[in-house]
């Protein structure tokens, strides 16, 4: 029987190591074993431990690590190219009544080895057989059985089914990524649409969300006060409802999608009637297209005198958006978020779009949900706003959220009312988690606290493994870059933002500014305003502090930052933040030294200075030139060309205009030029002046709103 070690402690009296196990729901200690926490050990003496009392001592007489773990560690130690060790001769076992306690530990031979493929993603589902998992993961049945045994589960046949949680635990041990597939079986009912508002900065996304929030029946009941929890529901008098994600912005949308959280059903594309299609309008269109999410266009600010909705329609049409008025299927509504005009029409359009899409979800059974925002409340601890995708989330359930776990202490709706359960498309604030999850994390319901702990531990371990692997890959990549460009400076950055989702989005966006010359190193991230701790950290590593959507820090902190010469950048619009960071990165970049032709001159005459004294040097030839292009400088290198071929190249020995020494001369000037060690000028030759310049990288922002640093 295999047991997972919970902790390891040395007995002060005996000096022996005590291992704590969880066995049959109770914890017990055993002395004398050597294993690390979370490792598995086999121990026959503990076979009956299901009935053991807490902390009762069970001496381990004989133990060995799980075969799978050993196979794993052996594989790692294997030297590539070496032959497999010869099989040892089978020796008949001695018949012993007691296994020798002092005998040195000999690891059992691994039964199998498993190829790890960390980039592989395996689809898992509840009730899948061992054979299914084996086919998908590429691991052998016996390997899977061995892992299951280590997990304390016994599966005899390859046709036996296992739970989705167990499948995930096994998959994590193998080292593959998983995608949980959820059954659609059960009562399937229509569900409200989940809508994200996107568009160019200042076109009125936030104003629209504010106005929509106020039209909600719940908001009216609550006197217009609703919580900002990352999403809200607009309930119409007809009983229909629409869920809006409260964080407008493309980065958050993409960050969520990148993490597999496809919660958005419809995108509302806000375009200001007085401004028209702008770079971020196009960016929003591409995001929606890539995500295969339909668009409903809201032409905003129609109350303004300069509004021209027709122009916006034509612009959108020419960008390839097939508008309804032009025979396509994209609905367009003219609104004013400020004076709340046309909001009912927009809601109708969204309901119609949802109807066309025939949005349905399973409403019974365990819930599957996604986190849209997470924060820490001083009194209530970590809080996560999630949107249920299917099933029903019930208060009191054990859940695993990303790599965190907890038991739902309370569920609150957007009006802050405590509720017992949450149905599909319902945003809900979950209280009771042990740690802070990230936007885009999945929420899964598990049977017990033990399963929740195990899954969370397994996921954390996998995350850490992936992180180390990425660092490893990054280091190799960096080493390659370093070979190409000798100098690469580092730009340490601390990111603070209002919510976890923004932290993620800003971090991802900043990393996109990485270049071979400047390494954007995010040294610390956090939710909340810029604190004293951030200043200390920034001072220690000369970091810039980026605050996104956070309030201005108190004057004492600002003063501290100024005195320590630390730059704090506060922004509310991600594009503006990237622009400023881009500028700073370009400034900081060492640049690449390049030789440039700064000017060209034609040789019109040749003068010779003969019979010079010894102290003044030997005879010299002077080229009498006219600068025909650019400028010439005394510090430049001169290149002599004849009929297009380079005849000589050397430093400038003298540059004079009318017998006066000159540092630089511009186009049109006549000059006398001497090139060191060169005396074979001919009339009609061309002389080029070469200068060393430092070329800095460029901050590029594309039409679609994407940014990058080009070296
Ligand atoms: P966002 O950057 O897209 O979130 O834009 P905001 O919602 O912050 O709006 C930018 C500016 O446009 C603010 O000054 C708003 O008051 C103004 N604005 C938004 N909607 C309207 C509207 O319908 N009419 C007018 N006249 N101004 C608006």
């Amino acid at each position: 029987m295999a047991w997972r070690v919970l902790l390891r402690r040395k007995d002060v009296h005996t000096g022996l190591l005590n291992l704590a196990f969880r066995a049959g729901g109770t914890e017990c200690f055993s002395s004398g074993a050597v294993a690390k926490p979370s490792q598995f050990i086999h121990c026959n003496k503990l076979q009956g431990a299901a009935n053991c009392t807490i902390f009762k001592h069970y001496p381990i007489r004989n133990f060995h690590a799980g075969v799978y773990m050993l196979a794993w560690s052996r594989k790692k130690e294997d030297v590539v190219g070496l032959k497999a060790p010869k099989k040892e001769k089978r020796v008949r076992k001695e018949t012993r009544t007691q296994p020798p306690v002092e005998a040195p530990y000999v690891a059992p031979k691994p039964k199998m080895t498993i190829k790890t493929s960390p980039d592989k993603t395996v689809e898992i589902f509840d009730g899948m057989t061992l054979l299914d998992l084996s086919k998908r993961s590429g691991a052998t049945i016996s390997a899977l059985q061995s892992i299951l045994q280590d997990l304390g589960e016994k599966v005899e046949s390859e046709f036996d089914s296992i739970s989705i949680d167990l499948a995930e635990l096994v998959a994590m041990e193998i080292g593959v990524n998983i995608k949980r597939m959820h059954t659609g079986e059960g009562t399937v009912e229509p569900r409200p649409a989940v809508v994200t508002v996107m568009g160019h900065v200042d076109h009125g996304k936030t104003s629209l969300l504010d106005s929509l929030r106020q039209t909600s029946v719940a908001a009216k009941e609550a006197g217009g006060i609703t919580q900002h929890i990352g999403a809200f529901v607009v309930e119409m008098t007809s009983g229909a409802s629409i869920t809006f994600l409260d964080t407008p912005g493309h980065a958050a949308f993409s960050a969520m999608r990148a993490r597999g959280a496809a919660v958005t059903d419809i995108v509302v594309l806000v375009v200001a009637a007085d401004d028209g299609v702008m770079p971020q309008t196009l960016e929003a269109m591409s995001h929606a297209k890539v995500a295969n999410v339909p668009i409903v266009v809201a032409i905003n600010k129609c109350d303004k005198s300069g509004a021209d909705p027709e122009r916006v329609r034509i612009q959108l049409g020419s960008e390839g958006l097939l508008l309804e008025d032009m025979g396509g299927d994209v609905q367009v509504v003219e609104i004013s978020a400020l004076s709340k005009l046309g909001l009912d029409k927009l809601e109708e359009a969204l309901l119609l779009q949802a109807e066309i899409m025939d949005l349905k979800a399973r409403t019974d059974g365990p819930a599957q949900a996604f986190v849209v925002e997470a924060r820490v409340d001083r009194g209530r601890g970590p809080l996560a706003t999630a949107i249920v995708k299917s099933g029903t989330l019930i208060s009191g359930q054990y859940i695993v959220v990303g790599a965190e776990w907890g038991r739902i202490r309370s569920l609150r709706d957007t009006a802050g009312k405590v509720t017992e359960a949450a149905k599909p498309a319902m945003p809900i604030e979950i209280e009771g988690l042990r740690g802070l999850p990230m936007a885009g994390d999945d929420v899964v319901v598990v049977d017990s606290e033990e399963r929740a702990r195990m899954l969370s531990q397994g996921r954390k371990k996998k995350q850490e493994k992936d992180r180390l692997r990425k660092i490893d890959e990054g280091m190799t990549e960096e080493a390659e870059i370093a070979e190409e460009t000798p100098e690469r400076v580092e730009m340490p950055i601390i990111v603070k933002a209002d919510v976890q989702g923004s932290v993620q989005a800003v971090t991802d966006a900043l990393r996109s500014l990485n270049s071979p010359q400047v390494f954007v190193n995010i040294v610390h991230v956090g939710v909340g305003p810029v604190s004293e701790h951030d200043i200390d950290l920034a001072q220690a590593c000369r970091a810039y502090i980026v605050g996104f959507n956070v309030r201005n820090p108190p004057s004492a902190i600002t003063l501290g930052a100024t005195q320590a010469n630390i730059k704090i950048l506060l922004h509310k619009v991600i594009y503006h933040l990237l622009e400023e960071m881009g500028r700073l990165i370009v400034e900081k970049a060492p640049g690449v030294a390049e030789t440039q032709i700064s000017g060209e001159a034609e040789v019109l005459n040749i003068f010779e200075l003969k019979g010079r004294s010894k102290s003044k040097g030997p005879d010299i030839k002077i080229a009498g030139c006219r600068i025909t292009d650019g400028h010439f400088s005394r510090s430049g290198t001169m290149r002599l060309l004849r009929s297009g071929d380079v005849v000589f190249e050397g430093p400038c020995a003298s540059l004079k205009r009318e017998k006066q020494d000159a540092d630089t001369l511009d186009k049109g000037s006549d000059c006398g030029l001497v090139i060191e060690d060169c005396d074979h000028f001919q009339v009609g030759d061309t002389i080029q002046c070469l200068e060393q310049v430092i070329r800095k990288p460029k901050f590029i922002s594309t039409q679609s709103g994407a940014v990058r640093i080009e070296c």
Side-chain angles (χ1 to χ4, degrees), residues 199-210 248 270 274 300-304 335-340 573:
H200 194 72
V201 60
D202 279 349
H203 278 198
K205 299 179 293 291
T206 317
S207 311
L208 175 61
L209 283 165
D210 284 346
V270 178
D274 60 339
N300 191 29
K301 305 196 186 183
C302 285
D303 59 306
K304 282 184 110 171
I335 61 160
S336 163
L338 213 60
S339 30
K340 299 196 178 64
V573 176

Side-chain angles (χ1 to χ4, degrees), residues 341-628:
L341 289 174
L343 297 190
D344 47 346
K345 294 231 168 59
L346 177 62
E347 289 168 1
E348 268 170 37
L350 290 170
L351 286 179
L352 179 65
Q353 183 63 46
E355 215 176 295
I356 296 167
M357 293 167 80
D358 194 22
L359 299 170
K360 284 186 176 151
R362 170 179 58 84
T363 50
D364 49 8
Q368 187 215 353
F370 284 110
V371 174
V372 290
E373 203 171 289
R375 67 192 169 96
V376 180
D377 183 277
R378 274 210 183 154
R380 295 161 66 202
L383 299 174
T385 301
I387 291 196
V388 177
K389 276 290 269 185
S390 61
T392 302
L393 195 63
I394 301 165
S395 195
Q397 281 177 327
Y398 285 103
I399 50 171
V400 178
V401 185
E404 305 298 338
W405 74 278
R407 184 169 185 225
I408 306 177
R409 205 161 42 229
S410 78
L411 290 173
R412 276 171 211 264
D413 65 12
T414 41
K417 261 197 292 187
V418 174
T419 171
E420 269 310 296
K423 296 256 179 217
M426 189 168 163
I428 206 81
E429 195 178 60
I430 303 169
E431 192 180 321
L433 287 171
R434 301 289 174 111
L436 192 67
M438 304 225 294
D441 276 345
D442 61 334
V443 181
V444 293
V445 178
V446 291
D447 297 338
S448 62
E449 181 180 332
E450 187 169 14
R451 208 18 71 88
R453 269 182 202 275
M454 275 174 101
L455 262 184
S456 148
Q457 264 175 19
R459 286 182 175 190
K460 276 188 181 147
K461 234 166 74 183
K462 172 92 172 57
Q463 272 181 2
E464 185 58 15
K465 241 192 232 171
D466 289 348
R467 194 180 69 83
L468 293 176
R469 188 169 58 90
K470 280 204 181 114
I471 291 176
D472 220 29
E473 284 171 4
M475 276 161 71
T476 323
E477 201 177 292
E478 261 175 42
E480 278 165 14
I481 290 172
E483 271 170 30
E484 288 161 23
T485 47
E487 215 178 348
R488 192 185 193 200
V489 293
E490 188 184 318
M491 189 152 185
I493 300 175
I494 293 170
V495 176
K496 296 300 291 278
D498 52 344
V499 288
Q500 191 65 40
S502 313
V503 171
Q504 186 71 25
V506 170
T507 310
D508 288 351
L510 286 173
R511 286 206 176 113
S512 72
L513 293 178
N514 243 325
S515 73
Q517 287 191 31
V518 181
F519 169 49
V520 175
N521 186 10
I522 312 286
V523 288
H524 173 68
V525 297
V527 174
V530 177
S531 66
E532 226 174 284
H533 165 77
D534 299 324
I535 304 288
D536 291 345
L537 183 62
Q539 205 172 357
C541 58
R542 307 305 317 153
Y544 289 78
I545 301 178
V546 164
F548 183 72
N549 250 339
V550 292
R551 63 170 189 269
N552 284 353
S555 50
I557 289 186
T558 319
L559 191 70
T562 318
Q563 281 168 352
N565 209 8
I566 290 160
K567 210 168 167 60
I568 302 179
L569 287 76
L570 297 175
H571 283 278
K572 287 198 178 344
V573 176
I574 201 152
Y575 184 75
H576 292 167
L577 165 67
L578 292 178
E579 255 184 346
E580 188 172 2
M581 279 314 294
R583 202 169 37 74
L584 290 170
I585 287 172
V586 169
E587 257 172 39
K588 203 171 167 109
V592 183
E594 265 184 5
T595 305
Q596 253 185 15
I597 300 171
S598 67
E600 220 167 70
E602 195 190 338
V603 180
L604 302 175
N605 224 327
I606 296 163
F607 306 97
E608 274 186 75
L609 269 184
K610 282 204 162 183
R612 300 204 318 157
S613 66
K614 260 191 186 169
S615 60
K616 284 187 178 169
D619 301 346
I620 49 168
K621 267 193 179 175
I622 303 164
C625 311
R626 174 163 301 149
I627 299 171
T628 52

Side-chain angles (χ1 to χ4, degrees), residues 182-195:
H182 291 269
T183 169
E185 280 171 27
T187 323
V188 176
E189 286 175 26
R191 65 162 177 88
V194 180
V195 176

